């Protein structure tokens, strides 16, 4: 919209030349007004976009405390963290040695079990239960579920197989199961998030 | 259709030329609200309110769509979901206050727009269709506003739904059946809340559609003007853009300023405290009133307290709907050939009384129903009907209009000289 | 034709209104509405004078915290605060650790489910929890309170006219029934179990005076806890619970108004500029 062409064709702006030598200078105010309200409209868009971000009640639930005292070696539990499944697994010494036996350089997403657990708590593997391929929940945490060819987790959607350290070994998933931020409050309580 | 001297759209950029050939949307806009629409040069600020109403609708739709992302239309959680919008959703309080006060701004703007039409005779030939479509928009707005007010599921929401659906139970024989059908139950509950939400979401888009028809119908004869004299030559008009886009810019600024003061500094001024109490089907608030924009109609409803052939309740409902529906007949009730009340000395006085009358009805609608207020309401209601159905037709016949300018340009020039009779009339 | 028809319809409406008006006037003369005790003795609330009132209003956080203490020690025994969460206390100046302590030590626990048996139980509150209700449901609340339901307080100051003044006035407004009232309206004697309070719409309130003695609450900041002070403080707290975004709203309001005033000037200038060569 050419708002700065305020003088319509056919109208002679000449009588006004005396007041302002350059008519363009007067049109500055038109541009300023349009620009100013344009900036205002831009600012109003921010809350309209921001309202779709997680609300305060959703963010407030972003830490979860988990009691791990009842998980025996070889068992795992499925709990939730930020409305996503979370696997907490107490690895047996055999599972730990299986994980350590793998040459890290041969992995798609090279990581050692140490890097994926806390110092001195190598048996506690805490990962999100979200397959890094397209977000299905892998099997293997529940009692009697298919743990896949590498004894860890197996995603039934597209056949990704994870080992006992939750690392991707076979199938389409690009990365290891994600390890969320967590801290041990005590030997039996973990805070995730 | 437009005036022969209307400018024609000539796309300069190749892309626009290509677009114009395939889909003449730029041409449509150019001819509707661009330089291709010649508008009388003497429009005053009352002519801003059409654009402002359109803008208010856009604000309502944008904030409403966004609020619907967080609102839950279920009796058990609706009130809580509104509170979570106010407390937890990012900028939620801003969006909700904008929407709630935006409704008031929208109705206020539309009332001024209607008042402009009444004063300047915008409903008269050849613009009857513009007026009729306008009344349809107004009815749709009232329905939308009412259903929107039910959604927060506070006490006023609930009892408003109860009372308004109660109107339909006044219909003889089938009334109760109709009411139960409307509510989907015997009292407002989930079923009613859900259908009101669905329709509250739908109707604004219907309104937008009717607005397009309203503008289309307007563009056939072109805009009216404060003198009511038809456009005769190119001298009488200026292109909509940039002249009226610039003038509307001022109107938009003032509108937004008032809106901002209301929603940021007194967001609950026009609301009712009882609506911050969750709906309770077992307890009616001591004093139930609709939102301010319905108060005059509520006063009309309350004024019919005596049975006469029909029960008082039915009279009240008939009169309340009648008070709006009679607007459909306005173009034919007022047969005066003069449009603008500036040149109709008698009508001006009666329109002044009508304005005070409607304000009085508004007061009575919101006030306690004691004897004094009921009496005031009954007198005011009688004037309302008498004005449109008796006074307007007879004044049109008996009144001697004042001399009118020959053309819009003449009126403008007279006004600039400050000597003409039109001057005192236009600024009074 | 139109004129005759419309005159007829108009006349019918006016006639029916005339009948109704006749009825109203004659009733008003023959049976004037008797004065009521509510009408004669109800008082408008006194101003609490809180810092959050007015266009520039801001919360006095120390006062709001004192009000929270009053809620915690007195009101919360009967009144819920169900739309407010413990985490919200951060807005009135408590830090995460304090909030966690407040939540954990809160007397009423959060309803929960025993993870092993599935039976209903309670657990300690977390910062992300809403304030728990003192009663399991409305029936229990009525049963424990002489059949009167203590209302939720989250929105109290917005749910009453002049809410913050109302809360303050109501809490300080208990008094014996005036002799004049009993003289003119002997039937309006406060029933047993209710309490006279001229700020309550029907004058008789089920809630016994909650704040009765100075020092009922030991303020941590050393403020003298008079009944008047405690009432003001709790009103300040409830103003915050009802409208926690008040300060953000006022700030956004000032920015918007300044922005728009400038825009109106610019738009006015553009309008004058565009129209400079056109008579109108």
């Amino acid at each position: 919209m050419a708002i700065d062409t305020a003088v319509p064709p056919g109208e002679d702006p000449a009588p006004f030349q005396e007041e302002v030598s350059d008519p363009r200078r007067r049109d500055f105010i038109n541009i300023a007004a349009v620009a100013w309200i344009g900036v205002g409209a831009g600012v109003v868009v921010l809350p309209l976009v921001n309202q779709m971000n997680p609300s305060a009640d959703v963010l407030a639930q972003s830490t979860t405390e988990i009691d791990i005292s009842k998980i025996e070696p070889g068992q795992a539990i499925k709990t939730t963290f930020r409305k996503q499944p979370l696997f907490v697994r107490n690895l047996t010494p055999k599972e730990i040695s299986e994980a350590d036996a793998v040459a890290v350089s041969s992995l798609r997403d090279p990581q050692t079990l140490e890097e994926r657990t806390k110092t001195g708590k190598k048996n506690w593997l805490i990962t999100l239960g979200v397959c890094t391929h397209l977000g299905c929940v892998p099997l293997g945490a529940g009692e009697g579920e298919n743990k896949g060819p590498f004894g860890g987790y197996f995603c039934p959607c597209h056949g990704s197989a994870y080992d006992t350290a939750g690392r991707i070994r076979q199938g389409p998933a690009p990365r290891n199961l994600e390890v969320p931020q967590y801290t041990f409050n005590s030997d039996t309580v973990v805070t995730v998030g | 259709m437009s005036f022969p001297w209307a400018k024609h759209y000539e796309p300069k950029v190749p892309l626009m030329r290509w677009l114009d050939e395939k889909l003449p949307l730029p041409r449509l806009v150019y001819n509707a609200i661009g330089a291709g629409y010649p508008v009388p040069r003497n429009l005053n600020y009352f002519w801003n309110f059409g654009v402002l109403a359109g803008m208010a609708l856009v604000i309502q739709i944008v904030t409403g769509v966004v609020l619907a992302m967080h609102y839950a239309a279920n009796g058990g959680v609706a009130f809580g979901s509104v509170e979570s919008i106010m407390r937890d959703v990012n900028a939620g309080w801003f969006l909700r206050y904008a929407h709630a006060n935006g409704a008031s701004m929208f109705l206020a703007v539309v009332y001024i727009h209607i008042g402009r039409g009444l004063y300047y005779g915008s409903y008269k030939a050849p613009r009857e269709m513009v007026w009729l479509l306008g009344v349809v928009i107004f009815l749709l707005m009232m329905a939308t506003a009412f259903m929107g007010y039910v959604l927060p599921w506070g006490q006023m929401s609930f009892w408003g739904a109860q009372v308004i659906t109660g109107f339909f139970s006044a219909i003889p024989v089938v009334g109760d059946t109709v009411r139960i059908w409307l509510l989907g139950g015997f009292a407002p509950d989930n079923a009613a809340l859900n259908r009101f939400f669905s329709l509250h979401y739908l109707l604004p888009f219907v309104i937008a559609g009717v607005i397009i028809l309203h503008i289309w119908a307007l563009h056939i004869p072109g805009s009216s003007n404060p003198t009511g004299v038809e456009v005769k030559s190119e001298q009488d008009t200026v292109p909509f853009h940039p002249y009226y886009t610039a003038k509307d810019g001022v109107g938009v600024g003032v509108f937004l300023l008032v809106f901002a003061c209301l929603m940021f500094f007194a967001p609950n001024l026009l609301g009712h405290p009882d609506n911050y109490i969750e709906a309770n089907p077992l307890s009616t608030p001591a004093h139930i009133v609709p939102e301010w924009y319905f108060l005059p109609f509520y006063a009309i409803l309350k004024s019919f307290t005596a049975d006469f052939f029909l029960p008082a309740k039915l009279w009240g409902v008939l009169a309340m709907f009648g008070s709006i529906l009679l607007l459909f007949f306005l173009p034919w009730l007022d047969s005066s050939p003069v449009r603008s009340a500036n040149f109709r000395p008698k009508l001006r006085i009666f329109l002044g009384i009508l304005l005070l009358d409607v304000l009085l009805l508004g007061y009575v609608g919101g006030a306690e129903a004691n004897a004094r207020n009921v009496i005031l309401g009954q007198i005011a209601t009688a004037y309302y009907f008498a004005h449109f159905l008796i006074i307007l037709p007879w004044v049109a016949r008996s009144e001697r209009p004042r001399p009118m300018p020959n053309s819009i340009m003449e009126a403008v020039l007279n006004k600039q000289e400050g000597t003409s009779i039109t001057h005192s009339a236009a600024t009074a | 034709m139109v004129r005759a028809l419309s005159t007829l319809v108009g006349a019918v409406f006016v006639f029916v209104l005339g009948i109704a008006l006749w009825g109203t006037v004659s009733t008003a003369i023959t049976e004037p509405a008797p004065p009521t005790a509510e009408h004669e003795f109800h008082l408008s609330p006194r101003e609490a004078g809180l810092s959050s009132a007015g266009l520039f209003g801001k919360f006095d956080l120390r006062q709001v915290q004192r009000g929270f203490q009053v809620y915690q020690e007195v009101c919360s025994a009967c009144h819920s605060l169900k739309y407010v969460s413990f985490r919200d206390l951060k807005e009135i100046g408590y830090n995460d650790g304090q909030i966690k302590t407040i939540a954990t030590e809160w007397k009423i626990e959060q309803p929960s489910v025993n993870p092993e048996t599935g039976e209903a139980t309670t657990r300690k509150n977390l910062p992300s929890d809403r304030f728990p209700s003192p009663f399991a449901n409305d029936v229990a609340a009525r049963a424990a309170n002489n059949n009167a339901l203590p209302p939720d307080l989250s929105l109290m100051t917005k749910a009453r006219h002049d809410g913050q003044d109302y809360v303050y006035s109501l809490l300080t407004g208990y008094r014996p029934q005036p002799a004049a009232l009993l003289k003119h309206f002997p039937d309006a004697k406060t029933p047993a179990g209710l309490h006279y309070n001229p700020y309550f719409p029907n004058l008789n309130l089920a809630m016994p005076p909650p704040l009765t003695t100075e020092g009922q609450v030991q303020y941590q900041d050393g403020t003298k806890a008079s009944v008047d002070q405690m009432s003001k403080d709790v009103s300040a707290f409830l103003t915050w619970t009802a409208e926690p975004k008040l300060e953000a709203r006022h700030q956004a309001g000032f920015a918007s108004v300044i922005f728009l005033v400038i825009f109106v000037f610019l738009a006015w200038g553009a309008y004058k500029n565009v129209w400079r060569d056109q008579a109108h």
Side-chain angles (χ1 to χ4, degrees), chain A:
Chain A
M1 294 282 179
I3 200 163
D4 54 340
T5 56
V7 183
E11 298 281 341
D12 183 10
F16 301 92
Q17 296 275 319
E18 287 161 331
E19 291 172 41
V20 174
S21 53
D22 181 7
R24 282 174 170 280
R25 202 188 304 161
R26 287 192 76 159
D27 293 339
F28 170 76
I29 185 108
N30 303 359
I31 298 160
V34 171
W36 190 259
I37 201 66
V39 169
V43 172
V44 170
V45 168
L46 295 178
L48 292 175
V49 172
N50 190 28
Q51 55 86 21
M52 283 175 61
N53 275 321
S55 57
D57 55 323
V58 174
L59 294 175
Q61 289 165 351
S62 58
T63 64
T64 308
E65 279 191 13
I66 302 164
D67 179 4
I68 57 170
S69 59
K70 299 216 170 82
I71 309 173
E72 299 293 327
Q75 283 189 330
I77 60 161
K78 243 191 252 188
T79 176
T80 58
F81 167 60
R82 292 181 181 164
K83 306 270 170 183
Q84 291 177 300
L86 182 77
F87 294 161
V88 183
R89 188 162 181 162
N90 191 349
L91 298 174
T92 59
K94 180 168 165 277
E95 286 171 328
I96 294 173
S97 57
E98 270 174 28
D100 287 342
V102 179
V104 172
S105 56
S106 70
L107 292 172
R108 186 178 297 170
D109 184 4
Q111 263 185 328
T112 62
L113 182 60
E114 273 85 5
E115 287 166 353
R116 293 173 60 76
T117 52
K118 299 286 173 195
T119 324
K121 305 276 185 189
K122 202 173 167 182
N123 59 322
W124 290 108
L125 178 69
I126 300 179
T127 61
L128 288 186
V130 180
C131 180
T132 56
H133 179 221
L134 291 169
C136 294
V137 182
L139 300 172
E143 207 72 45
E145 284 181 359
N146 179 8
K147 292 184 175 180
F150 299 91
Y153 301 104
F154 176 73
C155 182
C157 290
H158 308 99
S160 295
Y162 299 87
D163 66 10
T164 52
R167 296 175 297 198
I168 180 65
R169 298 289 290 276
Q170 200 181 64
R175 278 172 290 107
N176 302 335
L177 288 180
E178 188 187 336
V179 177
Q181 288 212 329
Y182 65 92
T183 48
F184 278 89
N185 300 6
S186 66
D187 278 350
T188 56
V189 179
V190 180
T191 300
V192 185

Side-chain angles (χ1 to χ4, degrees), chain C residues 110-192:
Chain C
Q110 199 71 217
S112 173
V113 174
N114 183 320
E116 263 141 52
T117 63
E119 282 166 12
T121 178
T122 57
R123 61 164 170 78
K124 294 223 173 291
N125 294 290
L126 295 170
S128 60
D129 288 328
R130 302 271 179 89
F131 279 88
S133 295
F135 302 104
N137 51 52
D138 286 0
V139 179
R142 283 182 192 279
N145 287 286
N146 198 14
N147 205 27
L149 179 69
D152 183 76
L153 293 184
S154 317
L155 287 159
M156 187 49 74
T157 56
K158 284 204 294 198
R160 300 287 183 276
H161 279 289
D162 305 317
Q164 41 186 316
D165 298 339
Y166 171 83
V167 169
Y168 163 65
S169 304
L170 195 79
L171 291 177
T172 53
Y174 289 92
R175 62 194 65 170
Q177 226 172 357
L181 189 154
L182 290 174
K183 193 175 150 219
H184 289 106
F185 305 99
D187 293 345
K189 187 170 165 39
T190 301

Side-chain angles (χ1 to χ4, degrees), chain B residues 41-42 45 79-80 83-84 86-88 93 96-97 238 242-244 246-247 249-250 252-254 256-257 260-261 263-268 272-274 276-278 280 303-308 315 318-319 332-333 335 368 371 374-375 378-379 381-382 385-386 388-390 393-394 397 409 412-413 415-416, chain C residues 2-4 6-17 19-22 24-25 28 39 55-56 82-85 87-88 91 130 142 154-155 158-162 240-246 248-254 256-258 260-261 263-264 267-271 274-280:
Chain B
R41 61 169 64 236
N42 62 336
Y45 276 105
F79 190 85
E83 272 316 302
S84 113
M86 292 296 285
R87 291 160 195 274
D88 290 337
W93 63 270
R96 172 165 180 255
Y97 278 153
V238 291
Y243 291 98
Y244 284 107
K247 191 165 184 172
V250 182
V252 166
V254 175
L256 290 176
L257 194 55
C261 290
M263 70 165 277
F264 288 117
F265 296 112
N268 296 309
H272 200 285
D274 279 297
Y276 280 110
I277 304 171
E278 191 170 0
N280 178 358
S303 289
F304 288 82
T305 52
D307 296 347
F308 177 74
W315 273 114
L318 279 178
W332 298 278
L333 289 172
S335 58
E368 196 190 336
V374 174
I375 290 169
Q378 286 167 339
I379 294 169
T381 305
F385 284 101
F388 284 105
L389 296 173
I390 304 173
W394 288 98
R397 206 168 93 133
M409 196 61 186
V412 167
L413 295 174
K415 188 180 139 195
Q416 284 193 334
Chain C
V2 171
R3 199 176 295 126
S6 77
T7 307
L8 183 69
V9 175
V12 168
F13 275 114
V14 172
F15 180 71
V16 174
L17 281 163
I19 294 175
L21 183 62
W22 173 254
T24 318
V25 171
H39 194 262
L55 295 188
F56 295 87
K82 60 183 175 185
Y83 298 112
V84 185
S85 306
R87 64 185 155 83
D88 292 334
E91 293 169 29
R130 302 271 179 89
R142 283 182 192 279
S154 317
L155 287 159
K158 284 204 294 198
R160 300 287 183 276
H161 279 289
D162 305 317
W240 169 75
T241 61
E243 186 78 356
K245 311 293 182 195
L246 179 132
R249 175 157 67 74
H250 285 173
Q251 282 163 9
F254 275 104
S256 310
V257 165
I258 292 166
L260 288 168
V261 166
F263 174 67
V264 169
W268 175 256
Y271 161 58
V274 167
W275 282 81
R276 66 183 182 271
D277 53 354
Q278 290 288 1
H280 63 286

